[in-house]
Structures are given as C-alpha cells and as structure tokens.
Amino acid sequence: NWQAGALTKAGRNLLAKVELGSVGLNITRLKIGDGNETAEEVDNLIDLKSPKANLSISSRIAADGICTISGVVLSSQIATGFYAREMGIFANDPDAGEILYMIALDDNPDFVPPRSTAVLTSAEYAMGIVVANVSELQIKIDPQGLITRSILEDALGIVKRATAYKVGT
C-alpha cells in the first residue's frame, strides 16, 4: 500500500553530500505514525507528522541498486492502536545530526493494534533506498531490534526445500 518514498529537503541535502563522496549514508532507524500529511508537506518535515512507534533496524538486504531496510513492531509495545499512514527513514548528517531522510505514505493503512487486544501481533515494515550512486552505506542492525522468522532465515542463508513428514514413530 505504500507510495514510493520521497526524500525530504534535509534528505536531498544529505544525498548531495553522499553523491559527492564527502560523506557516507548512515541510516539510523525507522519510525511509523498515523499522520495525514500530503506529498507536498513532506519536503519540509523534520519528523513524522504524528509519530507512534520507533523501529530499530532489524535487517538490510541489498539487490539491484536498492537497499531494503526493515523493522518490526509488536502490538505489546503499542499503548493506543493506530493506522500506520506514514513511515520515515532517519539518517545521520554529519553537519545537522539525525534527520528525517525519507518518508512514505499509505492511502490504505493497516491498523496496528494496542497491547490491550486479546491476540498480540507483530508487523514488519520495510522501505527501499536507491543506492546506485552511494559509495559508502552504513546501516547498523540494532541488537535490540526484533526479527521475524523470514529475516532470520535470510540472515542465516536457510534455503527451504521439500520436506517429508512422517506420522507416528
């Protein structure tokens, strides 16, 4: 459901430094929220319009000039449920500190339930970043970040093959 990510003004300034080779791109975290900003408002944002959850980076996968980063949120961490309409990627700018680098919007958002629901759930959020002209990309996997089974299988290089099951002893 997510629209393509759009760089903020601060994100474009950082990308210019990265493409000149004077700094590397250092992605720090993801954040989700329920703000209703328009695409035009994204340019000047320094944070999500209505942030609800910080997501530590759980995985990074690079392929075909795109680096996909993801984070996991647990409903047990959410006090009040919300519709995830906005997702931001944050990065370190050596001149400005941590900035909102890129944001994606969702016109048909999924509901992130609160911890008070009967069944606790998890959801993985991911966003791709074009890295074709980036000479140095740093994405720190946070040891406090949560992972899904598929993230673990990818990290370990597990390949699923046909499995036979036998009933009984």
Side-chain angles (χ1 to χ4, degrees):
N1 299 336
W2 296 96
Q3 298 172 12
L7 292 172
T8 62
K9 182 177 181 179
R12 287 193 310 278
N13 290 338
L14 176 57
L15 183 59
K17 295 175 200 176
V18 169
E19 288 183 343
L20 287 173
S22 59
V23 299
L25 182 57
N26 182 3
I27 304 298
T28 56
R29 64 187 165 121
L30 296 168
K31 195 185 271 191
I32 56 174
D34 66 354
N36 276 322
E37 62 267 43
T38 64
E40 294 76 31
E41 291 177 287
V42 167
D43 198 46
N44 293 313
L45 289 178
I46 58 172
D47 197 356
L48 296 182
K49 200 168 192 179
S50 181
K52 298 297 181 191
N54 283 306
L55 282 65
S56 298
I57 297 174
S58 300
S59 76
R60 64 183 186 277
I61 299 170
D64 301 323
I66 296 176
C67 182
T68 302
I69 62 171
S70 65
V72 177
V73 64
L74 295 176
S75 59
S76 63
Q77 300 169 329
I78 306 299
T80 304
F82 65 96
Y83 285 94
R85 292 185 183 97
E86 56 182 349
M87 177 171 40
I89 293 179
F90 290 77
N92 274 332
D93 182 319
D95 300 320
E98 188 178 59
I99 62 161
L100 175 58
Y101 179 73
M102 178 184 281
I103 189 166
L105 305 173
D106 188 348
D107 290 339
N108 188 17
D110 293 325
F111 186 71
V112 179
R115 62 177 151 248
S116 60
T117 59
V119 177
L120 298 177
T121 62
S122 67
E124 181 179 359
Y125 289 87
M127 190 184 305
I129 304 169
V130 175
V131 292
N133 295 326
V134 176
S135 61
E136 181 183 339
L137 176 64
Q138 296 177 16
I139 301 174
K140 182 181 177 188
I141 302 297
D142 188 336
Q144 300 297 317
L146 302 168
I147 62 171
T148 63
R149 181 179 178 157
S150 64
I151 291 172
L152 181 61
E153 289 171 347
D154 286 343
L156 295 175
I158 295 174
V159 177
K160 292 182 180 179
R161 292 196 166 81
T163 303
Y165 295 96
K166 188 175 182 181
V167 178
T169 57

